[in-house]
C-alpha cells in the first residue's frame, strides 16, 4: 500500500532564516511617493524590525514582483493604494501568482477601492462591500463624533495572531475608516476584527443600508503556507489613526503585520519518520498494519526557532475511502529547538 501523507498543523509549516521566516524584502505601494509620510509610523516599525522596504508610487511603471527570470524580487508586498487604477505592472493575476510562489501579502481596501483590489480580495474568500459604501456607527462613534470612524474591539480570539494586550477584556479598540468585508466560510480564512453590532454599511446614495454582520479585517493562509491579510481600511495604518487617543491601531497593525510577514506563529516540520510497530521499515505497507509516525516540530518567533508544544497536531492518511485522522502526541524534546510528535495508526483494511 502506498500512503499519501498530509499534515495540517495549526497555522503554518515553513522554513527559512532572518527576522522573518521567509525573508526581509518588502515592496510597499502607496498612491504617490509623498503619501508614504502618511504611514510613517507603520513603515518605520517595519524598518525597525529589520525589513528592507522598497516604497513605490502606484503610477510607477517599474513596480513589479517578479524579475525577468520569473523569480520573486520581494518576499512580501504591502498595498496601501486601494483606489489606484494601476499598481505599476501589477494586476490581480500577478499578485495571486506572487502568493502562489510563497510571497506574503497585506492588501488594504477603501470605499473607492478599485476593481483590481476587489477582484484580488475575492481570490482569498473576501468580498468588499459595494463601491462608495462605508462603515458607519452612530451609536459607538469615536471621540471625534464622526460616525464614519468606527471603533471596534471585536477581536477574534486567535493567540497565534493577536497579542495578549488585544485579547484582554480591556483591550484598546481599533479606529477604522473604510469599507466592510464579507468573509466566506472556509477554514483557511479567519476574520480577526469584526464590526461592532451597532455599525452598518451605508451606501453612497443613502437609500439602503446593509445590516448583515460584517468584518473589518480578515487573514488567509494558503495551502503553500503563504499568508494574506485584507483590511477594509487603509487609514487603519495611518499616523492619524495610530496616534488617536485610546486607539489600539498601533498594536493591531504590529500583530497583523508580524503574522503576515511570518515573524511569528510559523511552524517547521522536519524528520518525518514511519515504520511498523515492530520497528521494521518495509518497502510497502499492507492494510491492517500497525504503523508508527514521528516528526519534529519547531516554532519561529523572536528571530529564532524554538520547541513547539501543542495538543492539536494531526496526521491524515488519505486513500480513496476511507481516510484516517489521528492526533499526534508530543513525546519529548527532540533538541533545543525541536519537539517530537508520535502517532500510532492501524492502516484501514477497506477501500
Amino acid at each position: 500500500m502506498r500512503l499519501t501523507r498530509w499534515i495540517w498543523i495549526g497555522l503554518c509549516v515553513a522554513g527559512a532564516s532572518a527576522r522573518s521566516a521567509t525573508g526581509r524584502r518588502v515592496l510597499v505601494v502607496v498612491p504617490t511617493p509623498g503619501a508614504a509620510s502618511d504611514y510613517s509610523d507603520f513603515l518605520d516599525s517595519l524598518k525597525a524590525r529589520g525589513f528592507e522596504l522598497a516604497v513605490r508610487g502606484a503610477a510607477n511603471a517599474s513596480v513589479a514582483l517578479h524579475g525577468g527570470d520569473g523569480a520573486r524580487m520581494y518576499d512580501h508586498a504591502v498595498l496601501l493604494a486601494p483606489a489606484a487604477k494601476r499598481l505599476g505592472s501589477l494586476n490581480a493575476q500577478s499578485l495571486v501568482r506572487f502568493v502562489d510562489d510563497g510571497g506574503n501579502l497585506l492588501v488594504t481596501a477603501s470605499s473607492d477601492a478599485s476593481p483590481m483590489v476587489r477582484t484580488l480580495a475575492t481570490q482569498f474568500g473576501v468580498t468588499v462591500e459595494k463601491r462608495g459604501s462605508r462603515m458607519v456607527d452612530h451609536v459607538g462613534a469615536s471621540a471625534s463624533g464622526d460616525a464614519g470612524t468606527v471603533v471596534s474591539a471585536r477581536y477574534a480570539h486567535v493567540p497565534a495572531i493577536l497579542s495578549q494586550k488585544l485579547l484582554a477584556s480591556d483591550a484598546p479598540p481599533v479606529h477604522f475608516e473604510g469599507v466592510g468585508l464579507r468573509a466566506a466560510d472556509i477554514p483557511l480564512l479567519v476574520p480577526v476584527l469584526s464590526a461592532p453590532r451597532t455599525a452598518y454599511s451605508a451606501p453612497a446614495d443613502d437609500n439602503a443600508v446593509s445590516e448583515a454582520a460584517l468584518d473589518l479585517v480578515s487573514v488567509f493562509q494558503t495551502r503553500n503556507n503563504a499568508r494574506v491579510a485584507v483590511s477594509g481600511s487603509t487609514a487603519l495604518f495611518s499616523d492619524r489613526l495610530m496616534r488617536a487617543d485610546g486607539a489600539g491601531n498601533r498594536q493591531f497593525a504590529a500583530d497583523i503585520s508580524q503574522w503576515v510577514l511570518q515573524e511569528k506563529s510559523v511552524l517547521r516540520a522536519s524528520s518525518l519518520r514511519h515504520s511498523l510497530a515492530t520497528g521494521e521499515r518495509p518497502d510497502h505497507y499492507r492494510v491492517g498494519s500497525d504503523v508508527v509516525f514521528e516528526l519534529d516540530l519547531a516554532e519561529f518567533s523572536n528571530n529564532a526557532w524554538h520547541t513547539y508544544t501543542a495538543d492539536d497536531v494531526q496526521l491524515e492518511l488519505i486513500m480513496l475511502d476511507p481516510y484516517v485522522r489521528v492526533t499526534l502526541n508530543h513525546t519529548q524534546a527532540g533538541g533545543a529547538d525541536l519537539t517530537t510528535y508520535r502517532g500510532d495508526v492501524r492502516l484501514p483494511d477497506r477501500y
Side-chain angles (χ1 to χ4, degrees), residues 174-198:
V174 164
H175 289 209
F176 179 99
E177 295 176 1
V179 65
L181 308 174
R182 298 175 187 266
D185 185 16
I186 53 179
L188 300 178
L189 180 65
V190 179
V192 289
L193 179 66
S194 298
R197 293 180 174 84
T198 52

Side-chain angles (χ1 to χ4, degrees), residues 211-222:
E211 298 180 357
L214 295 173
D215 301 308
L216 305 179
V217 180
S218 291
V219 299
F220 185 96
Q221 178 155 309
T222 66

Side-chain angles (χ1 to χ4, degrees), residues 175-257:
H175 289 209
F176 179 99
E177 295 176 1
V179 65
L181 308 174
R182 298 175 187 266
D185 185 16
I186 53 179
L188 300 178
L189 180 65
V190 179
V192 289
L193 179 66
S194 298
R197 293 180 174 84
T198 52
Y200 60 92
S201 179
D205 56 17
D206 288 328
N207 288 332
V209 300
S210 172
E211 298 180 357
L214 295 173
D215 301 308
L216 305 179
V217 180
S218 291
V219 299
F220 185 96
Q221 178 155 309
T222 66
R223 294 290 186 184
N224 69 343
N225 302 315
R227 294 175 173 181
V228 178
V230 180
S231 169
S233 171
T234 307
L236 186 157
F237 299 91
S238 69
D239 295 351
R240 178 172 57 84
L241 292 187
M242 278 194 171
R243 299 173 186 177
D245 290 341
N249 292 44
R250 190 179 302 275
Q251 185 65 57
F252 183 77
D255 287 352
I256 291 298
S257 61

Side-chain angles (χ1 to χ4, degrees), residues 36 69 71 102 104 132 142 161 186 204 212 219 226 232 278 317 343:
D69 59 355
N104 304 298
S142 67
I161 301 176
I186 53 179
V219 299
T278 61
L317 306 181

